[in-house]
């Protein structure tokens, strides 16, 4: 009975990245702060000056694979589809996105970019806590 009460009081994470913060600097020039929120939510915030802090919250789908690899996927209100493959061991991310463009097959234009991915603390310092 005691074991059951311990489980009831413990908060379960909705995904292994919940509560983490990351920075991304893509080779395309796009830069983001990513906040992995509760209930499979992610807040992306552009850190490029020209984007004036553009930000939104998305519902994400997370899968984890051996070796610290994570797939994080979402569909934005605009129809933009985003898929990140995050390699936490090597602090790197690759992204595949598609968006509406009638000049491309299926009316969807693909876009890929990649770059460094770092977990940080709220104060911007590196986060040494493993996922």
């Amino acid at each position: 009975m005691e074991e059951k009460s311990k489980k009831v009081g413990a908060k379960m994470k909705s995904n292994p990245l919940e509560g983490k913060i990351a920075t991304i600097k893509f080779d395309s020039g796009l830069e983001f702060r990513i906040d992995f929120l509760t209930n499979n939510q992610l807040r992306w915030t552009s850190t490029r000056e020209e984007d004036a802090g553009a930000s939104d919250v998305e519902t994400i789908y997370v899968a984890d694979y051996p070796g610290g690899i994570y797939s994080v996927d979402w569909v934005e209100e605009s129809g933009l589809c985003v898929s990140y493959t995050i390699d936490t061991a090597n602090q790197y991310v690759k992204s595949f996105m598609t968006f509406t463009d009638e000049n491309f097959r299926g009316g969807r234009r693909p876009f890929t970019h990649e770059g460094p991915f770092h977990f940080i603390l709220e104060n911007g310092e590196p986060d040494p806590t493993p996922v």
Side-chain angles (χ1 to χ4, degrees):
M1 187 66 146
E2 184 179 331
E3 187 64 33
K4 187 176 180 181
S5 65
K6 285 182 184 176
K7 289 181 182 177
V8 171
K11 182 189 177 307
M12 298 294 292
K13 287 185 173 186
S14 57
N15 71 69
L17 301 174
E18 182 179 305
K20 293 295 218 177
I21 303 169
T23 59
I24 300 172
K25 293 190 177 187
F26 285 116
D27 58 2
S28 64
L30 297 175
E31 298 179 9
F32 298 96
R33 172 185 160 137
I34 304 294
D35 293 85
F36 293 96
L37 308 172
T38 59
N39 301 316
N40 288 314
Q41 301 287 295
L42 169 149
R43 179 186 310 108
W44 59 262
T45 305
S46 177
T47 55
R48 296 186 323 164
E49 188 175 312
E50 60 266 36
D51 293 332
S55 184
D56 209 347
V57 175
E58 312 294 348
T59 298
I60 59 173
Y61 304 89
V62 178
D64 59 329
Y65 301 97
I69 305 292
Y70 295 88
S71 175
V72 178
D73 309 294
W74 69 90
V75 179
E76 297 186 3
E77 186 176 346
S78 67
L80 176 73
C81 296
V82 181
S83 182
Y84 285 178
T85 302
I86 303 167
D87 179 347
T88 61
N90 293 301
Q91 300 180 334
Y92 207 74
V93 61
K94 292 187 175 196
S95 175
F96 176 82
M97 304 185 315
T98 68
F99 52 92
T100 303
D101 187 330
E102 295 304 320
N103 295 318
F104 285 80
R105 184 176 184 180
R108 304 289 300 176
R109 180 179 181 177
F111 179 73
T112 60
H113 52 183
E114 58 190 88
F117 176 96
H118 299 284
F119 286 120
I120 62 168
L121 299 171
E122 186 62 46
N123 66 6
E125 294 293 317
D127 182 352
T129 310
V131 178

